[in-house]
Amino acid sequence: APTRDLDIITDLQPHTFFERRGNDLYTTDPITVTEAALGAKIEVPTMDGRSLLRVPPGTNSGQKLRLREKGVPSVRDSGRRGDQYVELQVVVPKPVDERVRELLKELEKLAPEDPRKELFDRAKA
């Protein structure tokens, strides 16, 4: 029989958790205020299962950390993989009872901080 071309039609659907950009994967993972402030080692989902990620002390919401070679295997470069970038979202606790409310007020007194201190100066520039 004569040789013929084989056409393959694929329909790629976006994943509900991982976002792919080239060979890199992007995720958004929640962390607690305590983990963000003090630092922690947390487990995050990867294509290969779970992986440990070190969160440095003083991490802000929206900060991105990289897991090397936890992305998609390269089609062009055998043996190489992309990276996985984890955007951390700090989950603020809800003051569900008076004790939590008191502790948050005490923290504010012990470590007063104004994250908007230079906001208006930057807006004028």
Side-chain angles (χ1 to χ4, degrees):
T3 59
R4 297 182 183 188
D5 291 337
L6 173 65
D7 292 328
I8 298 175
I9 300 171
T10 60
D11 183 24
L12 296 176
Q13 298 294 317
H15 194 274
T16 57
F17 184 73
F18 297 103
E19 178 186 340
R20 182 177 179 174
R21 297 183 203 161
N23 292 333
D24 294 331
L25 294 175
Y26 290 79
T27 62
T28 301
D29 294 54
I31 60 172
T32 66
V33 170
T34 307
E35 291 168 333
L38 301 177
K41 288 183 181 177
I42 62 170
E43 284 189 328
V44 295
T46 68
M47 278 184 39
D48 303 323
R50 296 170 184 237
S51 188
L52 274 180
L53 177 68
R54 189 182 74 75
V55 177
T59 296
N60 287 314
S61 195
Q63 187 168 339
K64 291 185 178 111
L65 302 176
R66 179 174 67 170
L67 291 169
R68 294 176 193 250
E69 297 188 3
K70 292 293 184 180
V72 178
S74 175
V75 175
R76 294 188 182 117
D77 192 2
S78 164
R80 292 199 31 116
R81 291 180 74 162
D83 297 326
Q84 179 174 335
Y85 294 89
V86 179
E87 181 178 340
L88 299 172
Q89 293 296 319
V90 178
V91 178
V92 178
K94 295 178 182 163
V96 292
D97 64 17
E98 193 57 36
R99 177 73 176 132
V100 174
R101 191 178 300 274
E102 289 172 15
L103 288 171
L104 289 171
K105 287 180 181 179
E106 182 68 23
L107 175 62
E108 186 176 29
K109 287 178 189 174
L110 290 173
E113 193 172 323
D114 184 1
R116 296 172 300 281
K117 183 168 56 174
E118 299 171 5
L119 185 67
F120 292 100
D121 292 336
R122 288 192 343 230
K124 289 179 186 178

